[in-house]
Amino acid sequence: MIDLLHAPFFQICRDAGILTRRAIRDNGQDFSYEDLLARSEEVAAFLSAAGVRQGDVVALMARRGFDAVAAVYGIMVLGAVYMPVDRAFPRDRVAYMLETASCRYLLTDDIACAQGLPESVARLPLNRAGGERLGYDPAVVAPDDLAYVLFTSGSTGRPKGVMIRHRSAARRMVWARERFGPDLALVLGSTSYAFDISILELFAPLGCGGALEIVDSALSLAEEHVGREVTLVNCAPSALSAVLSLTRLPPTVQTVILVGEVLHGRLARRLYDQGVRRVFNLYGPTEDTIYSTEYLVPRDVGDSVPIGMPLPGTEAVVMDTDLQPVADGALGELCLLGEGQAAGYINRPDLTDERFVTCTAPPYVGKRMYRTGDRAHRLPSGDLHCLGRLDDQVKIDGHRIELSEIAHVIMSVPDVAQATVIVAQFGAQRLGLAAYVVPTQGNSNEEDLLESIKGQVAAKLPVYMHPLSYDLLPSFPTTTSGKLDKNALPPPSAGRGSSATDMVDEALQAVLGRSDLPASAPIFLHGASSMDLVRIIAYLREASGRAVALAAAFRAASPDGLRQLLANAKESPSRLASIKPDPMAVTQAQRQMWLAQEMAEDPVAYLLFVEVETTLPPEALALAVREVVARHPSLHTAIALDEENLRRMAIDAAEDPVCTCEEDHGWEGAVDRHLSSAYPFTAAITKIPGGAAARIVADHAIFDRWSLNILRDELAAHLAGQALPPLPSLRVPVRDAEDDAAFIERLSVELAQAQLLAWAATDARAAHILREPLSDTAVAAIRRAAGALNLTAAAVGFGLFAECASMLTGVGDLSIGITLVDRHQGNINAIDCHVNTLPIYWSRAFGVTLEERLDAAGRRVFYHVAHSHVGIESVLSAVRTRRGEPGWVPYAIAYGWHSESPDTTAGSPIIVRFRPNPSARLPLTLWLEERGGHVDAVWTAHPACFETMRLKTWHRTFENIAGKLATLL
């Protein structure tokens, strides 16, 4: 075996049968091995004539395509060193790379791109290569010579060039060909050449007779006729998630390699569901030649995915701060030894000595070792599990970013005294970079300074390193030792270009984190939900003292519309005064939930189940759960009758709601323990391989899905040793009693016309549950309809469900239960139950067309959201009186929409998720669950009313109606 990266391609080209085989597909055009061989030898001859010799660094700045691939091989024929340069990089960054690498040659397909670069670098037009050919000679280059230099983000404020030898890269390709074999038949070439996983795409398939299909990005798979024969996909998880939000993978894809970011098990499971045969989670820094560990993800993987075992020729050790191996299972820094290590950083011996060290720990004494800076531990299975960074380096969308490099660029702007950059949450599913700046004293023109900073960042850094927000602060918060306290920085603004200038802007900033929305556009078009609008109105009511009408707000949900609404609102009468409630009182919805649970034949039907997993020991998890229970009154008090009223009461019991068990008794044991406990929230914690798990059981009257997010975040904070601020005192937003009475009156008039469905579910039983993903067509139609009709996606979904129910039952006037969330500024951080299910009226007489009926149904959903606090008892009383039916049942079918949060957050050692309740309380319920842009339909049916096959009919009908909507929009 010749340990040269490019050698296998030239060796197999000696076989005449190979030469006619396809090697490259570029923009739909196929090129054979003979074409690629000829073109690479032409490039080699052209470079040689220009003076390039063995060991010279040649920068390649060209469009990814057939010519660029030939250029890479042509560079290596001469024994020169390949250095990719992305054409999108700022000229200043490219100039620094060329200078640092002592590069004297730039090979490019666009000379104009070289403007502004050092004159000492010779520009070589790739299109002039042709005619003469220079063949491959293995004697020109040795295995320990450099094959390529690839620049990564640098902590010193400048990128650093990683030098990779032929031997290291060649052996990684040997492993890849053995591991992926026939699946290298056609590899998707979607990766920027500045990203090291492109090396696999360039060399693995072309060294064994396979082929490469070059596309602009992985998203190109959504285009017709692109990638239809691809057998292997190699990309970052975020890129593939984006692909799957648009389309399915081609059925020919056999293997998917995910690398560069933390992999969530949900993505892997989804790939297997689409027919992919193997999913690999690979890990490796550029400094260890692309990949260092591998994990073949099992089909039943959980949400947390290990990075697996070291590749052949690599050793992986978890070290403490003294660079001594830690005990199995303990956390430490992941260090790598073996043949994959880079030669170092080009012309930066100081950085090389800092990261590549000589190991002093047995049995590795004297061996060269690379310190990754990644935090990891070893699972009992022997697999490694990575838990994020120890330093300022992060990964976003697969790009490795040194936060200090961005801060360094910002600091280079005059009038900037201090700068720091963090990773922050922008919306429910968005992680991005947030910059904080302290101006120099005497600088008063903030707008000009921000423009200068943004201009410098744009000139110096690639787009993926641009912060999403910039905040100017008078000073930075510090710890007691005087160091920057990043945890104390204020939340980032999403756009400083439009600062809050009035009360509506202040409300938008407080609720949405931004105040720069277009003045006349509905906020729903910019990511806001109906619950966001509820909280905005609550803010305006409290700040202004005016009776701002929530129902009217849904018809005027733009910033200017809200301003007009606020201007026309009257001063709040005394009945609208902000209320500070009795913390031991219960809401009407909680009262109804408690009563239903008490009367149920099977109390399990009104319980919620939560699974928790952590990599930390059971004792740590138990302590964290106890802290959360002690923090929230709902979890350590019981709802009980106090004379004639329901109230929360202190629990007079010596038992501990949190127990650590020697063995896991399953959910049956957890439920039995909960039902015999005085506490409404109990947890059974056991040790599992690699950490601990908890089975939490909670009464629905004190817990909901919103509470799950609070539980996850607070457990993660406790386990990380972070102090939580005190809970704010509970407050109820201003309510208009006359408006509530009008809502009940209107609803009772409408529901008096509703026809009863024939189903009857007299008791809760084990449910038939059908979970099906909504098609991309259906989801896109729902979102387009929401935008066109000025509704939310949840409201459109309700309208489609009502259409489906009417079509399949033949009933034209329906009463449907809709689940509403009554969260506001006063209870947004409280673990408790603040959901309410109210009946809502739907009629086929709402309109002649589907769009008209959807619009009318959506307006009623908004009206209900505005009255989510109204108890169902008062509604039932009014409807039963009007109908003359004391036993009238409000609804037999129900609908809800959940926007699911991630089960964990980046770097968190804990996963928290709901486990579905197996009981059905109604004949039929549809939950639409949205997570990461995808929507699942969860149909839950009572076995006395539905069979699973019938549920599939309902799902198909729902999809068909959504498909009809797609053709109308």
Side-chain angles (χ1 to χ4, degrees):
M1 177 182 68
I2 301 177
D3 282 335
L4 300 178
L5 179 57
H6 58 302
F9 166 75
F10 291 101
Q11 289 172 335
I12 65 171
C13 283
R14 296 171 182 169
D15 183 347
I18 287 288
L19 293 178
T20 58
R21 187 179 296 181
R22 178 179 63 192
I24 302 287
R25 170 168 289 174
D26 180 11
N27 279 333
Q29 182 178 357
D30 286 345
F31 296 88
S32 68
Y33 270 79
E34 186 172 20
D35 294 331
L36 182 58
L37 175 65
R39 185 61 178 151
S40 63
E41 291 180 346
E42 287 175 352
V43 172
F46 172 70
L47 293 175
S48 178
V52 176
R53 297 294 180 263
Q54 191 272 336
D56 287 340
V57 176
V58 178
L60 175 64
M61 182 189 288
R63 184 193 75 83
R64 289 187 306 106
F66 169 72
D67 247 17
V69 177
V72 174
Y73 280 92
I75 291 169
M76 292 189 180
V77 165
L78 291 178
V81 182
Y82 157 61
M83 188 178 87
V85 175
D86 196 310
R87 292 198 293 186
F89 282 172
R91 293 287 80 83
D92 183 76
R93 186 182 183 90
V94 175
Y96 178 82
M97 293 165 59
L98 296 172
E99 181 181 351
T100 301
S102 301
C103 177
R104 297 189 295 116
Y105 301 97
L106 174 65
L107 181 61
T108 179
D109 59 358
D110 185 357
I111 291 296
C113 289
Q115 291 180 0
L117 297 180
E119 293 299 327
S120 58
V121 178
R123 279 74 161 168
L124 305 178
L126 182 56
N127 59 4
R128 292 187 184 175
E132 297 293 325
R133 292 172 61 172
L134 178 63
Y136 161 72
D137 180 357
V140 170
V141 60
D144 286 329
D145 289 342
L146 295 185
Y148 62 86
V149 172
L150 197 148
F151 276 78
T152 69
S153 180
S155 59
T156 59
R158 289 293 197 174
K160 50 193 179 184
V162 182
M163 301 182 290
I164 299 297
R165 298 183 178 93
H166 274 277
R167 186 190 310 277
S168 301
R171 293 192 177 181
R172 286 289 190 259
M173 293 305 102
V174 169
W175 163 82
R177 294 180 191 111
E178 292 175 351
R179 173 63 72 206
F180 307 122
D183 296 342
L184 295 172
L186 185 59
V187 174
L188 185 72
S190 62
T191 308
S192 164
Y193 292 162
F195 197 3
D196 67 340
I197 65 173
S198 64
I199 296 297
L200 178 133
E201 299 170 4
L202 290 170
F203 292 97
L206 299 176
C208 62
L212 176 67
E213 180 168 356
I214 302 171
V215 297
D216 291 336
S217 73
L219 293 175
S220 300
L221 287 174
E223 301 173 13
E224 192 176 2
H225 307 310
V226 175
R228 298 305 95 184
E229 302 175 51
V230 164
T231 52
L232 185 145
V233 174
N234 169 58
C235 65
S238 59
L240 197 57
S241 293
V243 171
L244 298 185
S245 70
L246 300 172
T247 186
R248 294 176 63 89
L249 287 184
T252 54
V253 175
Q254 299 296 304
T255 293
V256 171
I257 301 170
L258 296 166
V259 65
E261 295 170 346
V262 174
L263 171 62
H264 195 280
R266 177 185 174 90
L267 175 58
R269 295 192 297 270
R270 193 172 181 199
L271 290 169
Y272 280 126
D273 289 344
Q274 291 199 6
V276 174
R277 186 168 56 89
R278 296 187 301 174
V279 177
F280 287 88
N281 186 30
L282 301 186
Y283 161 89
T286 303
E287 290 84 346
D288 199 51
T289 313
I290 318 167
Y291 310 119
S292 305
T293 70
E294 64 166 327
Y295 184 72
L296 177 57
V297 183
R299 292 179 176 272
D300 59 350
V301 67
D303 292 335
S304 180
V305 183
I307 59 172
M309 301 279 196
L311 299 185
T314 296
E315 294 181 276
V317 187
V318 181
M319 297 284 199
D320 61 19
T321 55
D322 295 323
L323 293 183
Q324 299 296 310
V326 301
D328 283 347
L331 290 172
E333 180 180 5
L334 182 59
C335 296
L336 301 170
L337 306 92
E339 62 186 24
Q341 287 185 59
Y345 301 112
I346 192 163
N347 293 325
R348 291 300 306 269
D350 53 335
L351 293 179
T352 301
D353 292 343
E354 178 184 323
R355 305 306 300 177
F356 295 87
V357 300
T358 301
C359 187
T360 60
Y364 312 106
V365 175
K367 291 187 176 182
R368 188 171 183 262
M369 178 173 73
Y370 172 66
R371 301 183 61 178
T372 68
D374 287 329
R375 190 163 57 104
H377 68 137
R378 196 176 297 277
L379 302 175
S381 63
D383 291 309
L384 290 162
H385 186 219
C386 189
L387 296 172
R389 294 290 300 171
L390 294 168
D391 54 20
D392 247 5
Q393 189 183 101
V394 298
K395 279 197 174 181
I396 294 182
D397 294 336
H399 297 286
R400 194 170 87 177
I401 298 170
E402 294 277 3
L403 299 179
S404 53
E405 181 180 357
I406 307 171
H408 182 90
V409 169
I410 296 173
M411 285 287 293
S412 68
V413 176
D415 296 326
V416 172
Q418 292 179 280
T420 190
V421 180
I422 65 171
V423 175
Q425 191 82 32
F426 289 82
Q429 305 290 335
R430 179 79 182 275
L431 283 177
L433 301 171
Y436 295 85
V437 177
V438 176
T440 56
Q441 289 187 352
N443 184 285
S444 59
N445 196 325
E446 294 187 355
E447 186 174 340
D448 286 350
L449 178 58
L450 283 171
E451 288 304 314
S452 296
I453 292 171
K454 292 176 182 178
Q456 184 78 336
V457 167
K460 301 288 185 182
L461 298 173
V463 172
Y464 65 81
M465 296 179 74
H466 292 189
L468 294 177
S469 71
Y470 296 84
D471 286 286
L472 299 183
L473 303 178
S475 63
F476 283 157
T478 57
T479 63
T480 54
S481 62
K483 295 182 178 180
L484 170 64
D485 186 356
K486 289 190 175 183
N487 293 324
L489 288 168
S493 63
R496 291 288 294 191
S498 175
S499 58
T501 57
D502 60 14
M503 194 174 292
V504 169
D505 275 348
E506 292 172 0
L508 294 171
Q509 190 72 42
V511 176
L512 302 177
R514 59 184 301 188
S515 60
D516 58 344
L517 300 180
S520 60
I523 63 173
F524 306 123
L525 299 181
H526 298 273
S529 67
S530 57
M531 275 308 303
D532 291 325
L533 183 57
V534 171
R535 290 193 286 274
I536 289 168
I537 297 304
Y539 183 101
L540 293 175
R541 285 177 173 178
E542 185 169 342
S544 69
R546 295 175 178 269
V548 185
L550 182 55
F554 282 102
R555 296 188 294 273
S558 67
D560 276 353
L562 294 174
R563 290 185 181 96
Q564 188 65 42
L565 200 64
L566 179 62
N568 295 336
K570 298 178 180 179
E571 293 293 327
S572 297
S574 58
R575 70 172 184 277
L576 292 181
S578 182
I579 303 169
K580 291 186 177 180
D582 178 356
M584 303 303 278
V586 297
T587 66
Q588 293 188 59
Q590 291 164 350
R591 183 184 301 113
Q592 188 67 27
M593 191 75 73
W594 177 87
L595 182 62
Q597 184 170 346
E598 290 295 309
M599 296 176 62
E601 294 183 17
D602 181 10
V604 176
Y606 291 88
L607 298 180
L608 296 179
F609 308 108
V610 178
E611 297 175 319
V612 179
E613 292 181 10
T614 179
T615 55
L616 299 176
E619 296 77 15
L621 179 57
L623 178 62
V625 175
R626 290 190 182 99
E627 292 280 357
V628 174
V629 171
R631 177 174 166 84
H632 294 273
S634 61
L635 305 185
H636 61 257
T637 57
I639 297 177
L641 278 172
D642 177 15
E643 296 179 354
E644 296 182 357
N645 296 317
L646 276 178
R647 289 176 54 80
R648 300 186 192 273
M649 298 184 180
I651 297 174
D652 184 16
E655 67 172 298
D656 186 347
V658 181
C659 76
T660 303
C661 310
E662 291 296 326
E663 58 179 300
D664 181 11
H665 296 287
W667 283 107
E668 185 175 350
V671 169
D672 289 344
R673 180 176 178 275
H674 179 83
L675 293 177
S676 64
S677 172
Y679 284 86
F681 181 97
T682 58
I685 297 173
T686 56
K687 185 176 182 180
I688 62 173
R695 297 184 188 272
I696 293 176
V697 183
D699 292 353
H700 198 350
I702 60 92
F703 202 86
D704 56 18
R705 282 184 177 260
W706 191 286
S707 299
L708 183 77
N709 300 330
I710 302 170
L711 175 66
R712 179 202 63 208
D713 293 343
E714 292 194 359
L715 286 177
H718 282 298
L719 291 172
Q722 300 170 0
L724 291 171
L727 283 174
S729 58
L730 291 177
R731 293 173 298 154
V732 175
V734 289
R735 309 288 199 193
D736 188 333
E738 291 182 2
D739 185 52
D740 288 352
F743 167 74
I744 294 170
E745 173 69 12
R746 172 179 165 176
L747 189 56
S748 66
V749 170
E750 290 188 334
L751 290 176
Q753 309 170 62
Q755 302 176 55
L756 295 178
L757 295 177
W759 305 313
T762 56
D763 59 344
R765 294 186 188 176
H768 291 315
I769 300 176
L770 175 68
R771 176 183 287 271
E772 292 285 349
L774 282 188
S775 67
D776 294 340
T777 300
V779 174
I782 289 173
R783 299 198 191 287
R784 285 200 299 273
L789 299 174
N790 193 14
L791 300 173
T792 62
V796 175
F798 166 78
L800 294 178
F801 176 59
E803 295 278 344
C804 178
S806 177
M807 183 178 296
L808 292 176
T809 62
V811 176
D813 298 277
L814 292 167
S815 175
I816 301 173
I818 185 167
T819 299
L820 307 165
V821 179
D822 184 27
R823 291 280 180 171
H824 47 75
Q825 299 295 101
N827 64 25
I828 194 171
N829 294 315
I831 291 180
D832 211 335
C833 179
H834 292 287
V835 295
N836 194 13
T837 303
L838 293 176
I840 185 171
Y841 176 68
W842 180 90
S843 174
R844 186 163 287 280
F846 280 170
V848 175
T849 66
L850 175 60
E851 297 101 306
E852 291 172 340
R853 294 192 297 274
L854 285 177
D855 183 61
R859 300 303 154 193
R860 281 165 173 76
V861 171
F862 282 170
Y863 196 44
H864 273 60
V865 171
H867 297 87
S868 59
H869 58 279
V870 174
I872 195 173
E873 295 169 79
S874 53
V875 175
L876 282 178
S877 176
V879 177
R880 286 169 175 169
T881 299
R882 188 174 292 276
R883 291 180 67 106
E885 299 175 23
W888 180 74
V889 178
Y891 45 80
I893 61 177
Y895 164 87
W897 177 293
H898 292 311
S899 292
E900 298 286 336
S901 296
D903 299 332
T904 188
T905 54
S908 174
I910 194 168
I911 295 172
V912 180
R913 56 178 170 259
F914 257 124
R915 178 183 174 88
N917 189 309
S919 301
R921 302 192 294 266
L922 290 174
L924 179 67
T925 301
L926 169 63
W927 288 108
L928 295 181
E929 296 184 353
E930 180 184 25
R931 188 194 295 256
H934 308 292
V935 180
D936 285 348
V938 183
W939 301 86
T940 304
H942 196 285
C945 307
F946 279 85
E947 296 178 351
T948 303
M949 288 303 296
R950 193 175 176 193
L951 287 182
K952 292 184 177 180
T953 299
W954 278 69
H955 182 75
R956 284 196 300 270
T957 303
F958 185 93
E959 286 266 13
N960 290 339
I961 297 172
K964 177 183 177 183
L965 178 62
T967 63
L968 297 174
L969 294 173

